Every structure is written in structure tokens, then in C-alpha cells.
């Protein structure tokens, strides 16, 4: 996909409302890749700026604390566990939704 953001000569890999699946083995760098995408979100996403990241933790043994360090004045980062995720209330405009350590698809996903 070769999409350029208006006024920007750089490649922008993620179109609005896109679904991206990143799959790999444990300890392969998926979370590091996602953190780098979040840090560089203005260069990665078309459309309105991402103002919030919601990380839905799908494995009870994972804390998601590594994402919380990305909180800043212009970005809110929140982590919740899958059993408390409610699409009706948790989704909002300009949100980047991450299902972390998802090992199987559930009805809510």
C-alpha cells in the first residue's frame, strides 16, 4: 500500500480503520515494534492523529506495563484485560486498539 499523507512525501503504512495482524513467536519483538509504531504514530497513520492507545491484554500473566511508559501530554495509554473489554464502551475515535498476547479469537474480539 503506497499512501502518502497530504503534504507529506513519506510513506504512511496504516490507513484509517485498518486492521493489522502482527504474528510471531514469543520474544520476537512484536511489542517493541508496536511501541515504536506508537512513538512514531504521526508518521505511521493517515487521518486524524491517534490520541489514545488501548491495550487489551489477552494473557493474565502479562501486565502491559511496558506500554504505560508511553503516556504523555498528547497520548493517553490504557491497559485492560480481555475479560473487562467492552467494545460498546471502550472504543472511541482516534483510538489505536491493540490485543496483546492474543492466543485465540474470542467472540468479543
Amino acid at each position: 500500500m503506497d499512501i502518502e499523507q497530504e503534504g507529506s512525501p513519506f510513506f504512511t503504512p496504516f490507513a484509517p480503520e485498518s486492521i493489522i495482524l502482527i504474528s510471531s513467536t514469543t520474544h520476537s519483538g512484536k511489542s517493541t515494534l508496536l511501541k515504536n509504531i506508537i512513538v512514531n504514530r504521526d508518521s505511521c497513520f493517515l487521518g486524524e492523529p491517534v490520541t489514545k492507545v488501548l491495550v487489551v491484554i489477552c494473557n493474565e500473566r502479562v501486565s502491559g506495563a511496558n506500554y504505560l511508559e508511553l503516556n504523555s501530554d498528547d497520548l493517553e495509554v490504557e491497559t485492560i484485560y480481555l475479560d473487562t473489554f467492552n467494545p460498546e464502551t471502550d472504543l472511541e475515535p482516534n483510538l489505536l486498539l491493540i490485543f496483546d498476547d492474543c492466543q485465540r479469537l474470542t467472540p468479543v474480539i
Side-chain angles (χ1 to χ4, degrees), residues 1 7 9 13 16 22 25 41 47-48 51 58 62 70 83 93 100 106:
M1 173 183 350
I22 300 172
T25 60
R41 65 192 175 279
E48 296 294 318
T51 56
C58 300
V62 175
L70 299 175
D83 61 351
D100 190 83
T106 65

Side-chain angles (χ1 to χ4, degrees), residues 11-108:
F11 171 74
T12 308
F14 306 112
E17 300 178 19
S18 59
I19 297 172
I20 309 300
L21 175 65
I22 300 172
S23 176
S24 189
T25 60
T26 301
H27 301 295
S28 63
K30 297 178 301 291
S31 294
T32 301
L33 172 64
L34 286 171
K35 285 175 59 177
N36 284 321
I37 289 170
I38 293 167
V39 167
N40 297 290
R41 65 192 175 279
D42 293 338
S43 299
C44 292
F45 297 97
L46 287 173
E48 296 294 318
V50 173
T51 56
K52 182 175 180 180
V53 176
L54 177 61
V55 181
V56 180
I57 308 297
C58 300
N59 181 344
E60 296 168 357
R61 294 175 293 204
V62 175
S63 74
N66 58 330
Y67 290 101
L68 294 175
E69 64 192 33
L70 299 175
N71 266 308
S72 66
D73 291 339
D74 62 342
L75 183 69
E76 176 186 356
V77 180
E78 181 182 352
T79 61
I80 61 173
Y81 284 95
L82 181 59
D83 61 351
T84 63
F85 175 65
N86 181 346
E88 305 266 331
T89 57
D90 292 327
L91 299 181
E92 59 189 67
N94 305 326
L95 173 79
L96 174 60
L97 176 64
I98 297 171
F99 290 100
D100 190 83
D101 204 24
C102 180
Q103 299 172 359
R104 60 183 154 62
L105 293 178
T106 65
V108 74

